[in-house]
């Protein structure tokens, strides 16, 4: 990959002075501190010459001077896959921009030849119902330790991925007896670059703002990047909030592989504010009550041993403080499945390092070294304690399966809905986490059912067709963590939160304090204080709909389904005229909800629309009804009245960039692009006054960070609305 290196012919012109830059070198200023040069060696071992050294691809030792770009990382891992019998590379997903996501399985050649066997053993331990203690001990005695080591899910938090390069190289190339012994008893799964699209974006910004002299000012664009930064993926999603929502391809592929293996250890390497030091686990309260107690205890043990590795080198660090563990949507979701999860948060250094308050400079190489040493320290801890961790894992799974355990007598029930695609999407998220899901085959009478509002119903009839999720199952902890209506927080934590607020301090809660998947999906649900195991059948994924339309005067998709909107949008993109009902209707013996989408022969006289309807409905999995009469039964409307208006094809522009909230822009962009399937444009929010808005009939205005909309932007939007345009504003832009 091309890297912009300064060549000898480049002359830097300044008022009254010139200086020449030597090829492949950065200008060294006499005023710079000598501690810009990091003298410690990150990689220190007896390495095999047959394995490509990182510097042979990077042009410098790993972590020194510049970050490894996505192409650099791909090149190294693909080379190692060919060169080393200790590494097998597996692609688990493709990003929106087409970049592969790999996990490198690193172990002894003998273990790599038995990966399928070990994965099967892990799955048996994870589902211990029916296993005797002797069988459990036999499985553990023949099972290597397993670790999933994941880096740089936020693409502008770069040191983690460079440390992954260093760690993988060390494990496959080091010829010491210690490394041989480690790999004989362990499978290390290195996920080196969790967000390649974001890292590529940030790497490009580094190229654009890299100067002739090292820049240690953490306020400069070199360190901060520009909108939307590399934190997020192509559609500007924060992938570290997606581990059970599973909206993005990177997450779906990653979670599927993690869940297959039930790794004993999962680390997640991040960066934080540049003037900070290094945060490691364990977290402070509030900690989610469904995290197994033994997992919490092991987190403490691993932290002590990781801290000892830092102490030996005189490196500053801390645990807890701002890091709590209540929300379940991070990579820490794995804790509820039994993994020990450890977060790294390294102060962000970009490439050149950052001037510290005490006047020293912390270099990028030092940041990479911290992540690398943490990686090896955690692997060494796992090697020492693996057998006992497996035993504790099985005990926690047995507790979740026990009738006398905390999840023994509880079931979650999602009531029937005509919104088939929404329910299917919800159930798909559960099944992706190996959660057992059933359907009620008959009405079931229960007592003391709790509604989402908290109201308790002394008697309740569960209708046939309801989705039932018994809490008594191997994944019972995760079931409660994502489905319970109220997350439990101790009185002590709540008092601390109240006192902090009264003192004008920040909340104790880092991210979010309330979530519930049934509420998020708008699905009515109840919690029943009993284990429901009769009048149930296993949930079956509906067969893919293949419409083969008969002739008629019109075709209708029912409006109860969310995807009816996408059906209308995609048909209009294909040039089909479409109507939508604003009330319920009935034609012949077919009943339709308000919002149903209708395509008529009359509106499309010059084309056979059946092919477009079939194609669109089939790609969305929707059922199309053919109608041969437009007469409404009783007082219900006829098809030619005012209740079936013709839709206008949306011509959408969304304002973005320059201070707009990237998360809101990204989720809106993703919905329009990938769900609805409508072509649209994005426009710099600062350039609205120069744009011809007459090309559009809808303007979407996202929330902004800090600054309000300018007077000229507001004036342009007012003129657009006076001319008949629609403005959709979100968040603080509405005010």
């Amino acid at each position: 990959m091309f890297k912009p290196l300064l060549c000898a012919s480049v002359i830097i012109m300044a008022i009254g002075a010139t200086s020449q830059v030597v090829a492949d070198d950065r200008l060294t200023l006499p005023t710079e501190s000598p501690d810009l040069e990091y003298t410690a060696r990150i990689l220190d071992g007896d390495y095999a010459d047959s394995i490509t050294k990182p510097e042979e691809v990077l042009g410098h030792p790993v972590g020194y001077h510049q970050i490894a770009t996505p192409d650099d990382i791909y090149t190294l891992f693909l080379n190692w896959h060919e060169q080393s019998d200790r590494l097998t590379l597996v692609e688990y997903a493709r990003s929106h921009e087409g970049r592969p996501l790999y996990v490198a399985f690193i172990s002894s050649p003998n273990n790599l030849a038995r990966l399928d066997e070990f994965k099967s053993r892990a799955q048996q331990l994870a589902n211990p119902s029916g296993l005797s203690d002797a069988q459990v001990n036999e499985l553990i005695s023949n099972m290597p330790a397993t670790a999933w080591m994941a880096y740089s899910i936020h693409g502008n938090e770069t040191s983690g991925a460079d440390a992954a390069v260093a760690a993988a190289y060390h494990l496959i190339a080091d010829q010491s007896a210690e490394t041989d012994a480690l790999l004989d008893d362990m499978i290390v799964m290195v996920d080196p670059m969790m967000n390649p699209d974001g890292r590529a974006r940030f790497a490009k910004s580094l190229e654009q703002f890299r100067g002739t002299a090292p820049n240690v000012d953490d306020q400069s664009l070199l360190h901060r990047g520009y909108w939307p930064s590399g934190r997020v993926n192509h559609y500007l999603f924060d992938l570290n909030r997606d581990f059970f929502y599973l909206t993005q391809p990177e997450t779906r592929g990653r979670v599927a592989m993690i869940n297959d293996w039930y790794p004993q250890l999962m680390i997640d390497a991040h960066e934080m504010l540049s003037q900070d030091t290094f945060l490691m686990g364990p977290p402070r309260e509030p900690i989610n009550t469904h995290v197994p107690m033994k997992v919490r205890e092991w987190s403490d043990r691993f932290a002590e041993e990781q801290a000892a590795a830092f102490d030996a080198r005189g490196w500053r660090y801390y645990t807890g403080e701002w890091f709590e563990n209540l929300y379940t949507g991070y990579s820490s979701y794995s804790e509820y499945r039994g993994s020990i999860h450890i977060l790294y948060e390294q102060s962000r250094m970009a490439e050149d390092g950052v001037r510290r308050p005490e006047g020293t400079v912390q270099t990028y190489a030092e940041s990479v070294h911290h992540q690398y040493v943490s990686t090896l320290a955690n692997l060494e801890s796992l090697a020492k304690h693996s057998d006992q961790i497996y035993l504790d894992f099985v005990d926690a799974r047995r507790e979740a399966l026990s009738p006398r355990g905390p999840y023994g007598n509880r079931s979650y029930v999602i009531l029937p809905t005509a919104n088939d695609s929404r329910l299917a999407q919800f159930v798909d998220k559960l099944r992706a986490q190996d959660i057992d899901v059933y359907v009620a085959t008959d009405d079931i009478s229960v007592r003391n059912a709790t509604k989402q509002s908290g109201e308790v119903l002394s008697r309740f009839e569960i209708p046939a067709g309801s989705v039932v999720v018994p809490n008594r199952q191997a994944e019972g902890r995760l079931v409660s963590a994502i489905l319970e209506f109220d997350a439990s927080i101790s009185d002590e934590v709540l008092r601390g939160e109240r006192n902090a607020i009264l003192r004008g301090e920040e909340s104790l809660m880092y991210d979010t304090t309330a979530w519930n998947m049934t509420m998020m999906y708008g699905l009515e649900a109840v919690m029943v204080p009993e284990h429901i195991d009769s009048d149930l059948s296993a949930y079956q994924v509906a067969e893919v709909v293949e419409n083969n339309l008969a002739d008629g005067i019109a075709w209708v998709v029912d409006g109860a389904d969310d995807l009816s909107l996408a059906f209308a949008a995609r048909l209009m993109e294909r040039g089909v005229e479409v109507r939508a009902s604003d009330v319920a209707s009935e034609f012949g013996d077919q009943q339709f909800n308000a919002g149903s989408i209708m395509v008529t022969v009359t509106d499309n006289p010059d084309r056979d629309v059946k092919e477009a309807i079939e194609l669109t409905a089939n790609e969305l999995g929707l059922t199309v009804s053919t109608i041969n009469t437009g007469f409404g039964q009783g007082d219900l409307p006829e098809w030619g009245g005012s209740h079936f208006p013709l839709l206008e094809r949306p011509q959408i522009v969304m304002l973005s960039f320059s201070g707009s909230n990237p998360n809101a822009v990204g989720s809106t962009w993703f919905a329009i692009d990938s769900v609805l399937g409508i072509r649209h444009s994005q426009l710099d929010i600062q350039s609205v006054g120069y744009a011809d808005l007459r090309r559009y009939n809808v303007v979407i205005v996202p929330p902004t960070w800090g600054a309000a909309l300018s007077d000229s932007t507001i004036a342009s939007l007012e003129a657009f609305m006076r001319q008949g345009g629609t403005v959709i504003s979100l968040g603080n832009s509405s005010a």
Side-chain angles (χ1 to χ4, degrees):
M1 179 180 177
F2 171 74
K3 298 177 184 176
L5 300 176
L6 299 168
C7 59
S9 61
V10 174
I11 305 296
I12 309 300
M13 303 300 296
I15 297 175
T18 64
S19 62
Q20 189 168 354
V21 181
V22 179
D24 206 14
D25 197 10
R26 303 287 293 278
L27 183 65
T28 301
L29 302 182
T31 55
E32 285 295 347
S33 168
D35 58 10
L36 266 177
E37 290 302 318
Y38 187 64
T39 57
R41 294 178 62 187
I42 296 176
L43 288 168
D44 188 8
D46 177 18
Y47 297 120
D49 292 335
S50 59
I51 306 299
T52 299
K53 298 177 175 61
E55 54 263 36
E56 293 175 27
V57 171
L58 303 179
H60 52 81
V62 61
Y64 289 77
H65 305 303
Q66 294 181 13
I67 74 166
T69 67
D71 282 357
D72 292 335
I73 295 172
Y74 292 143
T75 298
L76 284 166
F77 276 88
L78 288 168
N79 283 351
W80 295 339
H81 174 71
E82 297 296 327
Q83 296 166 348
S84 175
D85 60 1
R86 294 181 179 179
L87 184 147
T88 294
L89 198 62
V90 177
E91 179 179 334
Y92 64 76
R94 285 262 164 172
S95 73
H96 287 292
E97 295 176 12
R99 293 183 175 89
L101 288 99
Y102 293 116
V103 61
F105 288 82
I106 300 175
S107 191
S108 68
N110 179 58
N111 287 343
L112 292 180
R114 301 168 64 193
L115 286 180
D116 287 343
E117 173 194 337
F118 293 136
K119 181 168 65 175
S120 175
R121 287 176 174 270
Q123 292 170 359
Q124 291 178 67
L125 291 170
N127 294 277
S129 180
L131 288 179
S132 67
D133 288 347
Q135 289 172 313
V136 167
N137 289 330
E138 188 278 331
L139 286 168
I140 292 173
S141 67
N142 290 283
M143 184 70 184
T146 56
W148 186 283
M149 315 298 280
Y151 303 84
S152 297
I153 197 168
H154 297 141
N156 61 343
E157 299 177 6
T158 55
S159 61
D162 283 279
V165 169
Y169 174 74
H170 176 81
L171 291 172
I172 65 172
D174 182 49
Q175 301 179 96
S176 69
E178 292 81 4
T179 298
D180 281 344
L182 183 79
L183 296 184
D184 281 341
D185 296 326
M186 185 179 296
I187 298 169
V188 183
M189 293 164 264
V190 176
D191 189 355
M193 183 172 47
M194 302 168 78
N195 180 6
D197 292 353
R199 187 177 182 89
R201 187 187 308 120
F202 188 63
K204 185 63 178 177
S205 77
L206 290 174
E207 292 177 352
Q208 292 172 329
F209 295 113
R210 192 177 291 140
T212 58
N215 187 325
V216 295
D217 176 12
D218 60 1
Q219 296 186 123
S220 71
L221 282 171
L222 176 72
H223 288 271
R224 302 178 69 87
Y226 50 78
W227 193 98
S229 85
R231 179 181 177 88
V232 287
N233 77 341
H234 174 80
Y235 278 109
L236 313 188
F237 275 70
D238 187 330
L239 296 175
N240 197 38
R241 272 73 176 167
D242 198 38
F243 277 88
F244 66 79
Y245 296 123
L246 302 173
T247 66
Q248 301 299 294
E250 300 96 328
T251 317
R252 289 193 295 271
R254 178 176 299 123
V255 165
M257 187 162 286
I258 293 171
N259 289 356
D260 272 352
W261 275 93
Y262 296 90
Q264 294 180 285
L265 172 66
M266 182 171 173
I267 72 104
D268 188 3
H270 288 254
E271 290 180 339
M272 54 183 172
L273 295 177
S274 55
Q275 295 296 340
D276 217 319
T277 57
F278 189 98
L279 175 137
M280 62 184 73
R284 58 155 174 78
E285 290 285 357
I287 296 173
N288 195 292
T289 58
H290 302 295
V291 176
M293 187 54 66
K294 285 294 185 180
V295 167
R296 296 175 61 172
E297 292 174 4
W298 282 117
S299 295
D300 292 343
R301 174 73 65 85
F302 275 65
E304 291 174 7
E305 295 174 3
Q306 185 176 348
F310 272 48
D311 288 339
R313 294 165 173 83
W315 293 343
R316 298 172 64 210
Y317 60 88
Y318 61 95
T319 67
E321 295 196 15
W322 58 265
F323 169 44
E324 44 85 1
N325 196 12
L326 181 66
Y327 177 55
T328 58
Y330 309 122
S331 58
S332 58
Y333 91 99
S334 62
E335 289 183 302
Y336 306 92
R337 295 173 55 89
S339 298
I340 300 164
H341 179 270
I342 299 175
L343 176 73
Y344 304 164
E345 289 278 359
Q346 167 63 54
S347 51
R348 190 176 305 162
M349 295 295 124
E351 291 184 338
D352 293 332
V354 164
R355 179 80 63 193
R356 306 288 299 185
E358 62 273 18
T360 62
V361 172
Q362 181 172 323
T363 65
Y364 183 63
E366 186 175 351
S367 298
V368 173
H369 203 176
H370 293 169
Q371 305 259 30
Y372 169 77
V373 166
S374 296
T375 295
L376 296 186
N378 288 159
L379 292 178
E380 289 167 5
S381 296
L382 180 61
K384 287 188 291 187
H385 307 300
S386 174
D387 284 357
Q388 186 58 51
I389 292 169
Y390 273 129
L391 289 171
D392 292 342
F393 170 74
V394 172
D395 285 346
R397 308 287 286 190
R398 283 175 167 170
E399 184 182 49
L401 288 162
S402 171
R404 295 178 297 278
Y407 309 106
N409 291 290
R410 185 186 304 157
S411 299
Y412 295 93
V413 179
I414 298 87
L415 304 182
T417 174
N419 198 334
D420 294 335
S421 66
R422 184 183 297 190
L423 181 63
Q425 186 182 123
F426 168 80
V427 172
D428 182 61
K429 309 302 185 193
L430 301 184
R431 289 162 58 90
Q433 299 290 359
D434 301 319
I435 292 171
D436 296 330
V437 183
Y438 302 90
V439 176
T441 56
D442 201 352
D443 293 350
I444 304 172
S445 296
V446 296
R447 303 175 67 89
N448 300 321
T450 302
K451 298 173 66 176
Q452 292 162 325
S453 64
E455 179 186 359
V456 178
L457 307 173
S458 59
R459 294 183 180 275
F460 186 74
E461 194 85 1
I462 297 173
S466 297
V467 170
V468 178
V469 184
N471 206 168
R472 187 197 300 174
Q473 56 176 289
E475 302 302 339
R477 297 177 188 279
L478 187 60
V479 168
S480 268
I482 64 179
L483 293 185
E484 65 185 353
F485 302 153
D486 291 292
S488 176
I489 304 176
S490 71
D491 289 348
E492 181 182 1
V493 170
L494 292 175
R495 280 192 292 270
E497 174 78 355
R498 177 64 175 165
N499 290 336
I501 291 171
L502 290 174
R503 291 192 298 267
E505 299 173 354
E506 291 185 355
S507 170
L508 300 177
M509 315 297 178
Y510 174 72
D511 205 320
T512 185
T513 59
W515 63 90
N516 172 269
M517 282 190 70
T518 57
M519 294 180 187
M520 189 196 75
Y521 275 95
L523 296 169
E524 190 176 354
V526 296
M527 188 279 290
V528 178
E530 63 182 78
H531 178 63
I532 301 175
D533 60 354
S534 59
D535 296 318
L536 301 178
S537 64
Y539 181 91
Q540 299 293 324
V541 177
E543 294 183 7
V544 177
V545 174
E546 286 292 336
N547 292 281
N548 187 9
L549 298 184
D551 290 335
I553 63 171
W555 298 269
V556 179
V557 164
D558 194 275
D561 198 298
D562 289 337
L563 290 180
S564 62
L565 298 173
F567 177 71
R570 296 183 189 194
L571 280 178
M572 286 188 283
E573 286 291 309
R574 290 174 169 138
V576 177
E577 298 292 342
V578 176
R579 294 181 181 271
S581 65
D582 58 16
V583 293
S585 57
E586 181 177 340
F587 302 108
D589 59 353
Q590 300 182 89
Q591 298 176 345
F592 302 102
N593 289 283
S596 293
I597 304 302
M598 176 183 286
V599 181
T600 74
V601 172
T602 308
D603 291 327
N604 298 277
D606 298 325
R607 62 179 294 187
D608 182 358
V609 294
K610 286 193 299 180
E611 182 179 353
I613 293 171
E614 286 179 357
L615 173 65
T616 305
N618 290 344
E619 70 187 13
L620 293 169
L622 293 171
T623 299
V624 182
S625 300
T626 301
I627 65 172
N628 289 292
T629 176
F631 182 76
Q633 299 296 318
D635 291 333
L636 294 173
E638 278 75 32
W639 72 327
S642 62
H643 292 292
F644 290 87
L646 193 67
L647 300 182
E648 181 180 358
R649 179 184 170 191
Q651 303 291 321
I652 298 174
V653 64
M654 178 169 61
L655 308 186
S656 69
F657 217 79
S658 300
S660 58
N661 183 320
N663 299 130
V665 169
S667 58
T668 307
W669 178 20
F670 180 72
I672 297 171
D673 206 23
S674 297
V675 181
L676 292 179
I678 301 175
R679 284 171 285 189
H680 58 287
S681 297
Q682 291 189 41
L683 184 65
D684 190 329
I685 202 167
Q686 301 298 328
S687 303
V688 177
Y690 305 100
D692 181 3
L693 296 184
R694 293 174 298 178
R695 300 179 186 180
Y696 318 108
N697 54 25
V698 177
V699 177
I700 299 174
V701 188
T704 59
W705 279 356
L709 299 175
S710 68
D711 291 341
S712 63
T713 296
I714 293 172
S716 296
L717 295 175
E718 288 177 339
F720 174 76
M721 287 187 284
R722 283 197 299 270
Q723 294 163 5
T726 297
V727 171
I728 301 173
S729 60
L730 309 175
N732 64 353
S733 291
S734 299

